[in-house]
Amino acid sequence: MTIFTVGFALLAALLHVYIWVLESFRWTEPSTRKTFGVSEADAETTRPLAYNQGFYNLFLAIITFVGLALLKSEHGVGSALALAGTGSMLAAAVVLVTHDRSMMRAALTQGTLPALAVLFLLLEL
């Protein structure tokens, strides 16, 4: 694994841990609402959905962290897990922007690091 692969995958996972915190624990905070463009009333209504979605982000980060921890293992288990985690992060960013073009900035924020990790992971196969 190159330093680029590990670095981009690690940063992508850390970003998704941060997103987990925002969505699952800080969803109704003014700064979080501003980040996601959600009104106070909508934040209260969507709080359970955001809580659940936040954990999806955490699980993707965990898959990526485990993959990074197992990169030196035989049979490519680490690479497969890191690719599954970062590939899913990238796919979620694509879904976000294809559903709503106004979410381009959020999709780029969410998807750039995983895209770079996926690129370097695939180049190493």
Side-chain angles (χ1 to χ4, degrees):
M1 284 296 134
T2 68
I3 190 73
F4 295 111
T5 303
V6 173
F8 288 130
L10 181 61
L11 289 172
L14 290 171
L15 174 63
H16 280 71
V17 169
Y18 177 66
I19 294 169
W20 164 65
V21 170
L22 292 178
E23 291 177 340
S24 296
F25 303 108
R26 299 187 43 84
W27 186 248
T28 57
E29 298 292 322
S31 61
T32 302
R33 287 189 288 109
K34 181 179 179 185
T35 297
F36 287 92
V38 178
S39 70
E40 187 173 0
D42 285 347
E44 285 300 330
T45 302
T46 59
R47 188 177 203 166
L49 298 171
Y51 182 79
N52 187 48
Q53 182 173 306
F55 275 88
Y56 279 89
N57 283 296
L58 177 63
F59 300 147
L60 294 176
I62 290 170
I63 291 167
T64 303
F65 286 137
V66 172
L68 290 173
L70 297 175
L71 282 178
K72 298 291 184 187
S73 70
E74 292 183 33
H75 309 296
V77 172
S79 294
L81 287 172
L83 188 57
T86 56
S88 294
M89 292 172 190
L90 175 58
V94 170
V95 167
L96 180 62
V97 75
T98 56
H99 173 71
D100 183 352
R101 298 275 185 205
S102 72
M103 301 300 287
M104 180 63 78
R105 182 172 179 257
L108 287 171
T109 299
Q110 175 182 325
T112 300
L113 292 169
L116 292 167
V118 165
L119 172 67
F120 283 100
L121 279 160
L122 291 175
L123 287 173
E124 293 177 7
L125 292 180

